Amino acid sequence: MPTTSLGRILLASCCLAAVAHAQIGDVADRPGEVQKSLVPAHLIPPGTPRTPEEALKSFTLAPGFKLELAACEPLVQDPVAIAFGTDGRLWVVEMRGFMADIEGNGEDAPIGRVVVLTDRDGDGRYDESQVFVDHLVLPRAITLVGDGALIGAPPELAFWRDADGDGKADQKTLVAGDYGVRVDPKRPELANPERAPNSLLWAYDNWIYSTAYTKKFRFAKGQWETAATSFRGQWGLGQDDHGRLYYGSNSDQLRVDVIPSEYLQRNPNYPRLAGTNVNTAADQLVWPARVNPGINRGYRPEMLRGGRLKAFTAACGPWIYRGDLLPEFNGNAFVAEPSANLVRRSVLTGENGTVRGRNAYDRREFIASTDERFRPVGFSTGPDGALYIVDFYRGVIEHRISLTSYLRKQSEERGLVHPQHLGRIYRVVPADKPAPRATRLAPLTPSQWVERLSHPNSWWRETAQRILIERGDPAVVPAIRRIATAGAPPLGRVHALWTLEGMGALDRATVVASLDHPDPIVRAMAVRLSERFLPDAGRAELLARLLALTKDKVPEVQLQAVLSLGNARDPAVDRALAETARTHPGKTFLCDALYSGLAGRELPLLEHLVTNAGWKPEDADANQILSGLAGGIFTSRQLSAIERLFSLAAAPPPGSNRRTAALVDGIAAAAGASRRPLQFAQAPAGWKELVQHPAYKARLARLDEIVVWPGKPGVAVQAAVTPLTAGQQTRFEAGKTLFTAVCAACHQIDGRGLDGVAPPLLDSEWVLGSPERIVRIILHGVRGQITVLGRVHMGDMAALGALDDQQISSVLTYVRREWGHSASPIEPGQVKAIRAATAGRSDAWSERELQKIDPVPRRGATRK
């Protein structure tokens, strides 16, 4: 596993794959591993704290920019998140209980707080701090809403208000009670602070999203609404002008949802569609300004390059700059790397319907410091247009759960543990001209807030959208509608459209007027917002307008049109969208967008396309789509549809053309991702012709295992599942709690896994196979690649041997009996025996080693 510092500390790392460090004290060390510093002592600068003025001298910035101090201790202490108020005051979340000493004592003490900073003299530097909320345990998230603040402090997400006007919150409304797990030093496996949600963001669509959490929230007419969303990243969340959400993980700096996740959740027949969690910046190499011995695995040669961190290991706080003070940054991504004391700037570009990022500098960073205590963890765009940086400023940034003996020694010998409760907020401004100050802002009238929808700084646009929606004043609707339909800059029109949506005042005419706007962002947003009018009168006219946009030359508009038209649920539209996907094979994610909107209509579309003269059997692009449709039909587990699919595949003489091969490929791929038998009443039509044909027999061998019917030769009647005993049921329930707290963030609550993070557990041959293998995986971890349901997954899973036998048996019993699974429960005695038999092992298992212990059995029906 990559070394993790603040990116993993604060960060909400998750799951069995990333709970690599859910271990206590020396258990974080691998037995027998030599932990010796690779950096000579004389090359390591002192780790003593620097004054803010001294710290400013430690920075190297890209030419043309400079850092200014906006706030520092004692006004701010251990800052991890910020938000600007409409009056210019700065709200700061202080995680004051984090690692008070090398043992992490007192982390459950309620000493965290949210403070509000004020600039009394107007010089641009905050000089007064007032506590808004205190007595919090490790708070980590904030966004301003209405007349209060939404604050995350596990396990609560709460809305706090100051009702009596004294500056301190006195009213609390609980919005969610599962926003992470409360820190409990006695049960660290359930309350690892590395895995708590964070980074609240009010997005374009008027929902508030959070990193490392599967719910979103909406504040409408003074009430809170909740809806499901997908899990995103570890620490930090941003959005671009298209409304795409950006996040990342400790060693994977930047990912993006090119497609809003709700679209890809529409069709359960395609659980692995692409378009979310897309790797945007493949280059993970970093270029620090100093040696970095103080990282958790700094004794491993592969972690360092000349004594300096080689690649991201604590990446966090991704932010898309969209302000007006630094126009050359517009649309660029900024990512913090606190373990290497630097900030990465990436230039983002659109490419065939996806997003690519590259380092803005050749083997350099935008900001790099020689001060070991510079720990950037987040960013924000201020009302002045500057880029603000949150500096956690401290020596120890690794949590005790994952602290190696090596880093413990480094921290103690070099005096990194103390002092505590420091922190700085910087702002990036141009070096060659005066930068405006916006620390004291005057109140605005409703009409002035409407004007701010078109401001060149995203902070003003987003804040105006929020304020207007919260106030809900119908008198301003005509003015907002004018911005949405005439004369305003493109981004002003976009924010006006979403403001009308949030106010419940969006009308069809206003949306349709933007469908042919010259700016592609306006067109794409109008397409997305038009979906709500598809059931209304005039449907045919609207469908025609949207279908025309499936041929738009801009990939983002075309993709959105395909996504939105999936909600039409119209067979004729489905055929047109399939044609769009076929004729634009180079456009990333178009097929995924098509499949996402077809739930339950895959078979009629396939039946039409296989008889369409324009879809020729030799057309590889057409066959790719047909293959995908076949896979969706098979995954549906609808027996009548699957039997019809077999008949279609077998209709021409098998092997006579590429179309049959395409359908077989789709069937085989879906069968490879399935474990549970398909129980037909009799042999399905077309079955024999397919599975016995020499061209397909090998590819469909897996299919032969799971397609069963009474009397099928070689298939035994499946035994009834033995119910769990009372004791096993108790462990099942305990395992569910443990899985939800420790594993679900990455493996997902439905067990389907998360691409690039964790493989699926649902139907996994490793989960449902021999206890000998799955228990070993939990005790010692897995290294290198592992094949799950026919797909190769990369990335290590570290040991969870710190869990006791009862806990391991509980969580494994849960995953072997949840989601329709019927495998045998795991007893604590089995875990105890395997633990004893492998007590001398110090390394994680490879797939090859596990196969030798107990080969993965053939899956599906039991054979005689």
Side-chain angles (χ1 to χ4, degrees):
M1 295 292 290
T3 305
T4 64
S5 272
L6 188 48
R8 233 174 146 160
I9 328 171
L10 297 172
L11 318 185
S13 41
C14 43
C15 72
L16 293 175
V19 172
H21 300 311
Q23 308 171 45
I24 309 301
D26 293 339
V27 183
D29 303 330
R30 289 186 177 180
E33 191 172 42
V34 177
Q35 297 188 6
K36 181 181 179 180
S37 176
L38 301 178
V39 182
H42 70 278
L43 296 180
I44 303 175
T48 53
R50 307 186 189 190
T51 67
E53 291 72 25
E54 292 171 337
L56 281 170
K57 297 177 182 178
S58 74
F59 292 105
T60 299
L61 275 75
F65 308 98
K66 66 179 181 179
L67 282 179
E68 292 182 348
L69 189 68
C72 66
E73 69 279 352
L75 293 184
V76 291
Q77 302 177 21
D78 305 300
V80 296
I82 61 175
F84 287 93
T86 57
D87 54 5
R89 295 190 302 164
L90 182 61
W91 298 58
V92 183
V93 178
E94 297 183 337
M95 192 186 282
R96 300 175 70 246
F98 179 79
M99 288 299 287
D101 59 26
I102 201 66
E103 304 295 341
N105 290 315
E107 68 179 0
D108 57 339
I111 61 174
R113 63 192 186 188
V114 173
V115 300
V116 185
L117 306 184
T118 303
D119 176 16
R120 290 297 181 189
D121 58 16
D123 66 352
R125 182 166 169 175
Y126 294 97
D127 46 36
E128 180 180 284
S129 175
Q130 180 175 9
V131 175
F132 178 71
V133 179
D134 55 8
H135 305 303
L136 301 175
V137 177
L138 299 182
R140 59 189 58 237
I142 186 170
T143 191
L144 302 185
V145 180
D147 59 351
L150 187 63
I151 298 171
E156 295 182 345
L157 182 66
F159 179 55
W160 293 85
R161 296 180 63 248
D162 169 23
D164 60 13
D166 66 352
K168 190 165 185 176
D170 47 36
Q171 287 188 1
K172 173 185 174 183
T173 301
L174 183 65
V175 178
D178 61 351
Y179 199 72
V181 180
R182 186 184 302 279
V183 169
D184 182 354
K186 296 180 180 179
R187 302 186 70 196
E189 76 279 358
L190 292 182
N192 186 345
E194 297 183 9
R195 296 188 300 277
N198 60 85
S199 304
L200 296 162
L201 174 73
W202 184 307
Y204 261 137
D205 63 1
N206 298 312
W207 286 94
I208 298 173
Y209 293 85
S210 185
T211 305
Y213 194 52
T214 54
K215 292 181 182 177
K216 59 183 180 179
F217 304 92
R218 185 168 174 136
F219 189 66
K221 298 180 180 179
Q223 301 296 318
W224 289 98
E225 302 174 15
T226 304
T229 187
S230 62
F231 177 89
R232 295 177 179 86
Q234 292 188 326
W235 183 272
L237 189 63
Q239 73 170 341
D240 64 11
D241 285 337
H242 290 269
R244 296 176 292 215
L245 299 180
Y246 290 78
Y247 44 93
S249 60
N250 54 347
S251 56
D252 188 356
Q253 57 158 318
L254 194 64
R255 287 184 173 255
V256 62
D257 287 350
V258 175
I259 295 176
S261 64
E262 59 265 25
Y263 288 110
L264 300 188
Q265 295 168 349
R266 293 182 294 185
N267 192 344
N269 300 332
Y270 293 90
R272 313 288 295 184
L273 291 176
T276 60
N277 195 35
V278 176
N279 190 348
T280 299
D283 180 10
Q284 306 297 339
L285 299 180
V286 295
W287 308 96
R290 54 159 291 143
V291 293
N292 307 115
I295 59 174
N296 205 35
R297 309 286 176 183
Y299 51 86
R300 293 183 181 175
E302 67 269 20
M303 299 302 300
L304 302 176
R305 180 204 309 113
R308 304 182 184 195
L309 185 67
K310 182 178 180 180
F312 279 105
T313 188
C316 62
W319 186 255
I320 309 301
Y321 178 82
R322 297 151 58 221
D324 56 344
L325 181 62
L326 308 164
E328 53 271 81
F329 289 175
N330 194 39
N332 289 182
F334 291 84
V335 175
E337 174 46 279
S339 68
N341 325 109
L342 60 83
V343 171
R344 164 66 53 88
R345 173 191 168 201
S346 291
V347 177
L348 304 181
T349 55
E351 184 179 306
N352 292 327
T354 188
V355 183
R356 304 296 183 196
R358 60 173 178 81
N359 188 351
Y361 312 98
D362 182 23
R363 299 192 175 194
R364 291 185 297 117
E365 301 295 346
F366 172 59
I367 296 176
S369 174
T370 56
D371 184 356
E372 188 168 9
R373 293 176 183 250
F374 171 57
R375 308 296 193 180
V377 298
F379 307 91
S380 184
T381 304
D384 54 4
L387 176 68
Y388 283 76
I389 302 173
V390 180
D391 180 6
F392 198 39
Y393 202 81
R394 54 172 33 241
V396 176
I397 60 169
E398 190 75 45
H399 189 263
R400 68 183 181 92
I401 287 179
S402 52
L403 194 69
T404 59
S405 296
Y406 164 82
L407 187 53
R408 175 187 293 267
K409 183 178 180 181
Q410 282 273 329
S411 301
E412 292 176 333
E413 291 184 350
R414 297 202 289 117
L416 298 178
V417 181
H418 298 288
Q420 297 278 322
H421 306 319
L422 307 178
R424 287 90 193 260
I425 309 292
Y426 297 103
R427 71 171 191 155
V428 180
V429 297
D432 57 353
K433 61 182 179 182
R437 310 286 186 181
T439 52
R440 296 196 300 180
L441 302 175
L444 299 183
T445 65
S447 61
Q448 288 174 319
W449 278 119
V450 173
E451 293 172 358
R452 294 303 189 277
L453 290 171
S454 298
H455 199 282
N457 181 356
S458 63
W459 183 87
W460 285 103
R461 296 194 304 272
E462 292 171 348
T463 304
Q465 178 177 328
R466 174 177 66 83
I467 294 295
L468 292 167
I469 290 171
E470 290 170 350
R471 294 180 180 177
D473 182 0
V476 300
V477 168
I480 298 173
R481 192 165 285 138
R482 284 193 294 273
I483 291 178
T485 54
L491 292 177
R493 291 187 70 149
V494 168
H495 281 278
L497 287 169
W498 281 111
T499 301
L500 292 170
E501 187 275 342
M503 296 177 69
L506 188 67
D507 63 289
R508 175 192 174 100
T510 300
V511 172
V512 170
S514 295
L515 289 176
D516 57 359
H517 192 277
D519 188 276
I521 296 180
V522 177
R523 294 200 301 278
M525 289 296 185
V527 170
R528 185 175 174 185
L529 287 165
S530 72
E531 296 170 16
R532 69 203 59 221
F533 303 111
L534 286 173
D536 297 350
R539 170 184 169 92
E541 179 186 357
L542 181 56
L543 286 177
R545 295 286 299 273
L546 297 179
L547 283 168
L549 290 171
T550 64
K551 300 178 176 62
D552 198 287
K553 295 181 180 179
V554 178
E556 289 80 6
V557 179
Q558 183 182 52
L559 178 64
Q560 184 59 58
V562 173
L563 289 167
S564 294
L565 282 166
N567 286 334
R569 298 177 178 84
D570 184 304
V573 171
D574 294 342
R575 298 166 190 169
L577 298 183
E579 185 65 18
T580 296
R582 183 184 73 85
T583 54
H584 296 83
K587 300 297 178 64
T588 316
F589 308 129
L590 271 187
C591 284
D592 300 277
L594 167 67
Y595 300 144
S596 75
L598 286 176
R601 304 192 309 281
E602 296 90 349
L603 180 60
L605 179 59
L606 179 65
E607 290 176 318
H608 170 79
L609 295 179
V610 296
T611 60
N612 187 328
W615 284 56
K616 300 184 182 301
E618 62 272 16
D619 185 339
D621 298 319
N623 288 335
Q624 179 183 355
I625 295 171
L626 297 178
S627 180
L629 291 172
I633 294 167
F634 191 89
T635 303
S636 75
R637 300 183 64 83
Q638 297 295 317
L639 299 185
S640 60
I642 293 173
E643 184 166 12
R644 175 60 176 151
L645 172 63
F646 291 159
S647 297
L648 289 173
S656 67
N657 60 48
R658 298 175 185 176
R659 176 158 297 162
T660 298
L663 297 180
V664 167
D665 285 344
I667 295 169
S674 178
R675 177 177 180 82
R676 289 165 288 168
L678 288 166
Q679 185 74 48
F680 287 84
Q682 58 189 14
W687 166 259
K688 182 177 180 181
E689 293 83 350
L690 285 176
V691 297
Q692 293 186 0
H693 193 282
Y696 308 124
K697 187 173 183 178
R699 279 191 286 176
L700 294 178
R702 172 76 187 103
L703 185 67
D704 192 26
E705 296 176 13
I706 62 175
V707 173
V708 298
W709 58 87
K712 181 180 180 182
V715 177
V717 177
Q718 288 191 312
V721 178
T722 302
L724 296 178
T725 66
Q728 292 166 345
Q729 185 63 38
T730 298
R731 288 200 301 276
F732 176 92
E733 298 299 333
K736 181 176 183 179
T737 300
L738 189 61
F739 179 86
T740 301
V742 175
C743 318
C746 291
H747 286 292
Q748 302 293 279
I749 200 69
D750 59 5
R752 294 185 182 274
L754 190 64
D755 277 345
V757 178
L761 305 181
L762 175 65
D763 287 343
S764 167
E765 60 268 44
W766 299 96
V767 170
L768 302 180
S770 168
E772 294 290 329
R773 287 185 289 109
I774 189 63
V775 172
R776 280 173 167 79
I777 289 173
I778 299 299
L779 288 173
H780 305 290
V782 176
R783 55 181 168 80
Q785 72 177 43
I786 186 168
T787 304
V788 182
L789 298 174
R791 293 185 61 189
V792 175
H793 295 262
M794 302 300 298
D796 297 349
M797 172 187 150
L800 289 173
L803 300 179
D804 62 33
D805 298 341
Q806 184 83 7
Q807 290 169 325
I808 292 175
S809 70
S810 295
V811 75
L812 290 181
T813 294
Y814 173 73
V815 299
R816 286 164 65 90
R817 280 300 182 96
E818 184 65 319
W819 314 308
H821 292 168
S822 57
S824 63
I826 302 294
E827 301 296 329
Q830 293 175 280
V831 179
K832 181 179 180 180
I834 296 172
R835 190 192 294 270
T838 60
R841 188 175 182 87
S842 61
D843 195 11
W845 299 94
S846 68
E847 180 176 12
R848 179 175 296 181
E849 289 175 317
L850 291 168
Q851 292 280 18
K852 290 179 180 178
I853 293 168
D854 196 326
V856 175
R858 290 168 64 85
R859 301 169 295 175
T862 303
R863 292 283 178 177
K864 289 181 180 178

